[in-house]
Each structure stands twice: as structure tokens, then as C-alpha cells.
Amino acid sequence: NSQRSVGNIYKGRVTNVLPGMQAAFVDIGQEKNGFLYVGDAIPEKEKKAKFYDEGDVSITDIIKRGQEIIVQVTKEPIGSKGARLTRHITLPGRYLVLMPTTDYLGVSRKINSQSERERLRKEVEEIRPRNMGVIVRTVAENKSAYNFREDINFLLGLWHKIQDGQNLISSPSRIHRDFDLVARVTRDIFDKEFHEFIINDEEVYNSTLELVHLLSPHLKERVSLYTDSLELFERYGLLAQIERAISRKVWLSGGGYIVIDYTEALTVIDVNTGKYVGTSDLEDTIFRTNMEAVGEIAKQLRLRNIGGIIIIDFIDMTQKQYIDKVLQSLEEALQKDRTKTKILGMTSLGLVELTRKKVRQGLETIMKKKCDCCHGDGRVLRVDIILYEMEKEIKRISGHTNAEAIIFQVHPDIHQEILDS
């Protein structure tokens, strides 16, 4: 139900230009105007040709109020903030990313083999459209030029369609919508590592088969339609996993647990030994709990899509070898993350700081809303305090009315407290 807008391309109209912020607000037809920073507003080809240097140029030199521009969403609207926008368009395919507004060739840093990097660079350079940029994705490793040519043809056709569309519509309007969730999984994740891709909707199943046929025809037999009478999530125990992914406390298999709390500025994760008492000494018990927490924390960051500043309070360790081992394990665990994550180190208080790119809303925001009783605080006034406030209100009202009675509508817990008193 939560349709994301990252990757969508819009024809927008500039509503306000703010030189003091070096940014502009653009109406793209959403509830809140999008935010365009000067670095994302300078046309990439002009930046490369050094016509502009974002450190020396004002946003007013780049765009004007009322101007119609083509922009792409790079970050979802979150809270009170509108979408983050860019004029540097990127169109991802299965193996390549086309950048029609720049002239550049890059290879994913996750491809470590230097010889393979050179091979990919050489083969893609031969088919790269003139004056356009291409980034070779990680999944392109060991793939042939045929795969790349198919990708380029598909993405070029998509770009030409976008160009034709921008001339036919007025602003603000959406020109291009990125793939939905299932199609993105098919394009970006589904590969030979997966044994089966199970879909419980016949229409989605058929469209996925068509996409797999275009991208990875040898994987079509691994796509299956789920027709069992037992609900899909129940069959595979997913409801319990989702409940675990939105719980404040997450238990570890060894008896320890982690607590995840969200604030406006950052996310805090606390590690506790819980029911785990160890087998040898205290330092070893703490180390083992922290090591087990590392894998679960990395997993929860991905599942909950936690972004921004993250602080982890591991249980205090005194031996440097244990501290180094925990930090190394955390770094290795975060390498599985498709979202850019960076460990900034450990503070003098023993807190581990890291950042994770925030592109869209986290699971917490999507599945939960603020409590009507505590308004997001997570805590409410004690019953005796509320009763005291009621007593004061009764005295205040009784002095200003000749009514026969005052009626209070209260929570059942408060009602029971009154009956018991």
C-alpha cells in the first residue's frame, strides 16, 4: 500500500528560490514541494565542463522562480520534509545504470577483481551511447556484452519515451514512474542465488514472468504462483517476523537482547545481557553478547530500513582485542547492506557511531502512528496525577457554574482507580 516515489521523474515548476539556503522548492504535484539543492540543480555536463562550480555559484544563477524543470526524486518525503530532488537523471537496468544527462563511465566498487573491472569498462565503453553516462552494477560481474547491449537498448527506449512525454504534459506532472516493489525485487535482487520466487497474485505473477523473460530468462522456472488455501504469510511464518521487526525489544538466541529507540535526530540501539549468564567469566559473557548483537543489529537496520545517524551502546568492554573484534564484525555484517552505511568509530563513552543513507521511510513510520494518548512520547501520566488534575478541574468548574453535575469521560484504568478509592 505504501507506494514509494524514489526514482520517479517529474516535470515540476520552481515555486521558490532561496539564495540563503542555496536551494529551491519545486512543485511536483505532491502534498509538499520538493527540495532541490544547488549541487543537484547544476546540469552535470556543465559542471564537468566547469561552466559552474557549486562552491562559487548562487542558486539564482541556475534556476528561476516559475521555471519548468525535469527532476527525479532521490529521497522520499519524510515527516515534515518534502522529497529531495535532482536534475541528474539515472535510469537503472538489470546490469547497468544509464545517466542520460552526463558523460561518464563507472564500475561498482563492490567488484574487486581489477581484471574484471577493466573487462567490464572496455565492453561497456563500446556500447555506451554518445554523450551519456553508464554505471556498471555489481550483478554485471562475469556477464557478457550481450546482456549489456540488451540493457542499454531497454534503457535508451525508456529515456526517449520520457523525453517525448515531457513535451506533451504541463507541470506539475509525473513523466515516469519507477518499478513497483515486486518489479524492483525482480530487477535488482532476484538472481541465481535464489531457489524460488513465490508470488500469491496471478496478475503480478504473469507480469513478473514477462520481466524475468526480458532480464534473466534462465530464471523463469524458479518463479512460482502460490495457490495454497493457507495464507502465504502464515505458511512461512512472516507475521511473526514482521512483529519482531517493529518491536522495541529484540531477543537474541543466547538470551541477551537489544532495545531500539527512535528520536527526531537519531536512532539509539542498546545491547543488554538479559538472561545470558555466560560460562566462564564476565568479560567473556559481555563479549559473546556483543558479538551476537552485531549480526542482529545489522539485520534489523535492513529490515526496518533505519536511516540517518545511528548510535549503538554495546555492553562496556575493557580489553582492546574484544573491542576491535566487535567493530570488525560489525563492519563485515554491514557489507551485506545494499544501502550505503559507514561506521564512524567509537566515542570516548564507548558508543559506536554510524550513518546509513536515508532514502525512504522506515518500517516504524510505515506501520505505526503516534499514540493518541501520549502523542509519541511513549509514556503517559500516572493515574494518581490524573485524578489530582481532575480534582482541581472540578473545583475550578464548580465555582463558575450552577450545573447539577460534571461528567468526565475517562480511561478504564482511571475509572477502576476511582471505584477502588
Side-chain angles (χ1 to χ4, degrees):
N1 292 335
S2 180
Q3 295 295 323
R4 77 169 199 168
S5 60
V6 169
N8 290 356
I9 298 174
Y10 296 84
K11 185 176 184 178
R13 184 181 297 276
V14 179
T15 58
N16 205 359
V17 181
L18 306 173
M21 293 179 64
Q22 282 290 65
F25 287 98
V26 184
D27 181 8
I28 57 173
Q30 294 187 348
E31 184 179 347
K32 297 183 180 70
N33 289 337
F35 180 82
L36 180 66
Y37 179 66
V38 64
D40 297 315
I42 301 174
E44 193 68 34
K45 291 178 182 177
E46 294 182 17
K47 187 193 294 186
K48 191 171 183 180
K50 297 188 177 177
F51 294 148
Y52 292 114
D53 182 343
E54 62 183 270
D56 301 328
V57 70
S58 170
I59 187 72
T60 55
D61 297 329
I62 310 297
I63 53 178
K64 307 296 180 186
R65 186 174 181 178
Q67 181 180 344
E68 291 187 331
I69 56 175
I70 304 302
V71 291
Q72 186 172 35
V73 175
T74 60
K75 188 176 178 181
E76 294 277 354
I78 298 175
S80 61
K81 299 176 182 178
R84 178 76 180 261
L85 307 175
T86 183
R87 295 176 77 182
H88 310 151
I89 307 298
T90 58
L91 298 173
R94 175 63 164 163
Y95 304 108
L96 308 173
V97 177
L98 181 67
M99 301 182 293
T101 60
T102 187
D103 190 354
Y104 170 80
L105 176 59
V107 179
S108 168
R109 294 178 184 175
K110 292 186 179 181
I111 299 177
N112 298 317
S113 169
Q114 192 57 40
S115 59
E116 177 64 6
R117 293 177 67 88
E118 290 300 322
R119 180 190 75 85
L120 291 169
R121 188 178 292 275
K122 182 179 178 181
E123 291 195 352
V124 173
E125 182 63 65
E126 293 177 358
I127 61 172
R128 179 164 71 103
R130 188 178 179 183
N131 296 324
M132 289 191 182
V134 172
I135 295 177
V136 181
R137 306 184 71 176
T138 308
V139 291
E141 190 171 9
N142 300 322
K143 295 298 186 294
S144 67
Y146 170 79
N147 299 122
F148 306 148
R149 195 170 287 109
E150 289 283 302
D151 237 15
I152 285 290
N153 291 337
F154 170 73
L155 294 173
L156 274 177
L158 184 59
W159 175 240
H160 293 148
K161 184 179 178 181
I162 291 169
Q163 286 183 304
D164 292 340
Q166 73 181 55
N167 298 322
L168 300 175
I169 60 175
S170 59
S171 61
S173 298
R174 187 179 66 207
I175 303 173
H176 165 70
R177 182 175 183 173
D178 194 20
F179 284 176
D180 63 16
L181 175 63
V182 179
R184 288 199 313 275
V185 168
T186 307
R187 179 190 67 194
D188 299 338
I189 299 175
F190 183 49
D191 58 24
K192 63 182 180 181
E193 299 292 325
F194 290 82
H195 299 294
E196 193 174 9
F197 188 174
I198 305 167
I199 302 172
N200 65 345
D201 182 283
E202 189 168 1
E203 185 178 341
V204 177
Y205 167 75
N206 291 327
S207 63
T208 302
L209 277 182
E210 292 176 11
L211 187 56
V212 171
H213 179 72
L214 287 173
L215 300 174
S216 309
H218 60 286
L219 295 175
K220 283 183 70 174
E221 61 183 27
R222 303 193 189 190
V223 183
S224 61
L225 177 64
Y226 185 81
T227 57
D228 199 300
S229 57
L230 186 63
E231 212 279 324
L232 180 68
F233 275 28
E234 190 175 348
R235 165 71 69 184
Y236 291 96
L238 293 178
L239 291 175
Q241 290 291 329
I242 291 171
E243 185 176 342
R244 178 181 168 89
I246 58 176
S247 297
R248 180 172 177 263
K249 180 185 288 189
V250 179
W251 286 97
L252 307 174
S253 57
Y257 65 88
I258 62 175
V259 175
I260 303 174
D261 284 314
Y262 304 90
T263 74
E264 191 75 21
L266 47 83
T267 301
V268 181
I269 303 175
D270 186 35
V271 182
N272 296 279
T273 53
K275 294 179 277 188
Y276 181 60
V277 294
T279 54
S280 53
D281 57 57
L282 177 62
E283 189 73 17
D284 180 72
T285 300
I286 291 171
F287 172 66
R288 289 179 181 276
T289 304
N290 284 338
M291 286 294 288
E292 189 179 357
V294 161
E296 188 62 43
I297 288 170
K299 179 182 177 182
Q300 291 299 323
L301 292 182
R302 298 194 302 270
L303 281 177
R304 299 172 186 237
N305 195 29
I306 299 172
I309 301 171
I310 300 158
I311 303 294
I312 305 174
D313 185 10
F314 286 107
I315 307 169
D316 290 341
M317 297 172 287
T318 57
Q319 296 186 28
K320 188 177 184 301
Q321 61 180 23
Y322 284 164
I323 295 172
D324 292 342
K325 182 66 176 175
V326 167
L327 288 176
Q328 181 185 345
S329 298
L330 179 62
E331 196 161 331
E332 291 171 357
L334 292 175
Q335 287 177 357
K336 301 175 184 178
D337 201 334
R338 297 171 62 87
T339 301
K340 186 177 180 181
T341 308
K342 183 179 180 181
I343 300 177
L344 302 176
M346 183 176 284
T347 70
S348 57
L349 294 174
L351 305 174
V352 176
E353 298 177 321
L354 60 100
T355 60
R356 188 173 186 270
K357 189 175 181 182
K358 185 184 288 185
V359 177
R360 56 190 183 275
Q361 296 183 28
L363 191 64
E364 177 84 2
T365 307
I366 292 172
M367 295 193 67
K368 291 183 176 181
K369 70 179 185 69
K370 284 186 177 180
C371 168
D372 293 332
C373 295
C374 71
H375 304 290
D377 288 342
R379 301 175 74 85
V380 294
L381 289 171
R382 287 188 352 225
V383 171
D384 58 327
I385 300 296
I386 295 174
L387 290 174
Y388 174 69
E389 293 292 334
M390 287 173 60
E391 184 179 354
K392 286 200 304 180
E393 188 67 6
I394 290 171
K395 290 178 180 178
R396 188 190 68 81
I397 295 174
S398 63
H400 296 84
T401 179
N402 56 3
E404 293 183 4
I406 301 168
I407 298 176
F408 283 90
Q409 187 173 8
V410 298
H411 187 277
D413 290 349
I414 297 171
H415 183 250
Q416 188 61 46
E417 186 83 10
I418 293 170
L419 294 177
D420 292 343
S421 62

